[in-house]
Amino acid sequence: MITLTDAATSKVGDLVRQEQADDESLALRVAVRPGGCSGFSYEMYFDADVGAEDEEVSFGDVKVVVDSSSAVLLQGAVLDYKDGLVDAGFSITNPNAERTCGCGQSFS
């Protein structure tokens, strides 16, 4: 299962609070989908629907949900967030990725 750094947890928490208004059930869904220039690509979005086969973990107030097939590919992965002039935004460090593309959004 993927883990979040403190910086990523803080940023996701801020974004969830902005998105959810009155809906307390929003979670960050992290998924791996076929596609991208290297074979698989990451997908992240807020989701209120948690299925029976989803894996769920909490980091403080932030809930993260991963479907069972993506969980295998994200085992040991870390989601980080950087705010600055260079390399700003979310990034995933995945020990299961044998190679990544130049854009950093896909892997194999």
Side-chain angles (χ1 to χ4, degrees):
M1 182 67 161
I2 193 167
T3 58
L4 274 64
T5 64
D6 290 341
T9 300
S10 177
K11 185 62 176 180
V12 170
D14 291 345
L15 294 171
V16 166
R17 283 186 287 281
Q18 291 173 17
E19 286 287 322
Q20 70 185 3
D22 296 327
D23 186 0
E24 295 292 321
S25 64
L26 280 183
L28 175 68
R29 181 170 293 277
V30 182
V32 175
R33 303 287 185 241
C37 24
S38 292
F40 293 105
S41 62
Y42 299 111
E43 188 175 88
M44 293 189 294
Y45 56 94
F46 296 121
D47 194 358
D49 297 324
V50 178
E53 294 183 18
D54 287 335
E55 295 186 27
E56 184 177 341
V57 65
S58 293
F59 298 90
D61 295 339
V62 174
K63 291 185 291 185
V64 178
V65 177
V66 178
D67 64 85
S68 58
S69 58
S70 295
V72 173
L73 296 169
L74 291 169
Q75 190 65 39
V78 177
L79 176 66
D80 193 16
Y81 179 79
K82 292 184 179 150
D83 187 17
L85 296 175
V86 179
D87 296 328
F90 289 100
S91 64
I92 296 177
T93 303
N94 189 343
N96 303 302
E98 294 178 6
R99 68 183 176 98
T100 59
C101 69
C103 71
Q105 299 299 311
S106 67
F107 70 98
S108 64

